[in-house]
Amino acid sequence: MPDATVLEKLVSLCKRRGFIFPGSEIYGGLTGTWDYGPLGVELLRNIKTAWWHDNVTVREDVVGVDTAILMNRTVWQASGHEAAFSDPLVDCKACKARFRADQIAESQCPRKPSKHPGEFTECQLTEPRQFNLMFKTFVGPVEENAAMVYLRPETAQGIFVNFKNVCDSTRIKVPFGIAQIGKSFRNEITPKQFIFRSREFEQMEIEFFCKLDTSMEWYQKWRDERFKWYQDLGLKGSNLRLREHDEKELAFYSKATSDVEYLFPWGWGELEGIAHRSDYDLQQHMKFSGKDLSYFDDETKERFVPHVIEPSAGATRSLLAFLCEAYGEEEVEGETRTVLRLHPRLAPVKAAIFPLVKKDGMPERSMAIYKDLQRFFQVFYDEKGAVGRRYRRQDEAGTPFCITVDGQTAQDQTVTIRDRDSMKQERVATDKVRDYLFDRLGAQG
Ligand code: GAP
C-alpha cells in the first residue's frame, strides 16, 4: 500500500525547497494553478529534455513542432471538443460548492467533511449537467461571440492541423510522427491531489502517422516503448502498470488504447494514454477545413488518409510521479535524512561543490572546480554551515553527487565525491572530476 502521508510531506518539501509554489500565492492563490521554483523548473525541464531526446532527437522517424495555444475555433468543432469535452457537474445550492457527479463518492461535503456531498441534511444538490472544460477568451478588442476562442485543452490538435505543412516542408515519409511539448488548459471542476489534476499543465504528445495495415504493430511498439521509458527513469515495477482499455472504455473511433498508470499515494492514476485513433482526426479536419489531408506514397503510388497512434503524456503529472517515487526518509546517525532519489538524468542539480571550511585556499579551489563544471552541468556552490548539513540539503534536492575540497586537496590534488544514495565517499583527482561526472551522468547531464 502506498504511504498516504507522502503527498503531504512532498507538498511541504516542494514549497520549502523551491520546487513548486501555489499559483498567485500572495493574492490568496488561484485554485488549480502552480508555479515552478528554481529546483522545480530544472526538474520539469529535465523531464521534457529526456522525453524530447528519447522520442525525437535519437529517432529518424519523429520530428517536432511548437504550435499556437490559441487556435481557430473550428479546430475544436472538428475535434469534437466543443460538443463533447465535458464532465458531469452538480451544484450544491446550500453551500455553492461544485462537484463532479462521477466523483461524489470520493468528495467531501464542505460543511460536514465526514459525509459525501448530498448526504448531509442541509445539502441541496442539483441534477447533473454537462460542463465544458475548455477556457474561453476573446481575440481582439471586441468581446463578442465571433471573436471567442478557446485555450487549447490538448497539444494534439496543433499537430493534426500541421500534418500537411510538415509533409510539404520536410522529406519525411509515412510512417512518421510529429511531437510537441506545451501547455494545455482545462477548467477542471475539481482540481486536486497537488499538481496531479491542474487547470494549467504541460503535455508531451506524439501523433504517429502510419498505414492501416501496420497500425496495430505500431500501437504495440509505442505502448511498450513508452512503458519502458518510465521504468528506465526510475518508476519501479510494482508502482507502475500498463492497463489495456476494455471495449466499453474505448472512444468510438479508437481501435485500442492503453494507459501507463502509477501508484500515487492515494491510488492508481494515469500518466500517459497510448491510443490507436484510427484516421478519425485527419478525416474530421478534412471535413471541417475542406482541405485534402490525404498522403501520397511515392513508392507504392497509393493515396490514403493515415491512421494515427497517439502517445499522450503529462509532463507535470509525471513530475509528481517521479517525486513520489524518489521520496525517502531514513535514520542516519540518530537523525532523519530526507532524500530524493531522482534518476541522475532528472535531478535538478547534478553536483554540489563545497569547501570543507572557508579558509586555507579551499573556497578558491572549490570555486575553480565549480566554474569548470558549470560549463557542462547544472551545479551548485555552497560554503555555508557544517558540511553534514550541506550534504542533507543536497539530499533533499535530489543532487546525485557532492564534491568536497578539504585539507588533503592542496597536498595531492584530490577531492572527495559523495554518492547521494549510498552516502559513500571516494577520492578522485581534481582533474578527473569532470570525466567522473560524464561517466555517471552521460552527455546529457
Ligand atoms: N490528446 C489526448 C489527451 O489529451 P488526455 O488523457 O486527456 O489525452 C493526456 O491527456 C495526459 O495529459 C494525461 O495522461 C495526463 O498525464 C495529462 N493531463 C490531462 N489532464 C490533466 C490535468 N488536468 N492536470 C495535469 N495533467 C493532465
Side-chain angles (χ1 to χ4, degrees), residues 65-79 152 154-168 178 180 207 209 281-286 288-289 291-293 308:
V65 292
D66 189 352
T67 70
I69 285 171
L70 301 176
M71 301 179 80
N72 188 305
R73 181 175 172 181
T74 320
V75 170
W76 306 109
Q77 290 162 350
S79 69
R152 70 178 177 202
E154 61 171 27
T155 60
Q157 298 305 322
I159 297 178
F160 290 122
V161 303
N162 281 290
F163 171 69
K164 195 169 153 38
N165 279 336
V166 172
C167 286
D168 292 350
I178 306 180
Q180 163 150 248
E207 306 303 328
F209 302 92
D281 305 272
L282 288 180
Q283 293 285 8
Q284 285 293 102
H285 286 303
M286 293 214 295
F288 278 76
S289 69
K291 301 287 186 309
D292 180 11
L293 302 180
V308 168

Side-chain angles (χ1 to χ4, degrees), residues 53 145 228 345 348 359 384-385 422:
H53 176 270
N145 200 32
K228 186 167 175 298
R345 278 181 87 186
K359 58 181 187 185
K384 292 189 194 76
S422 66

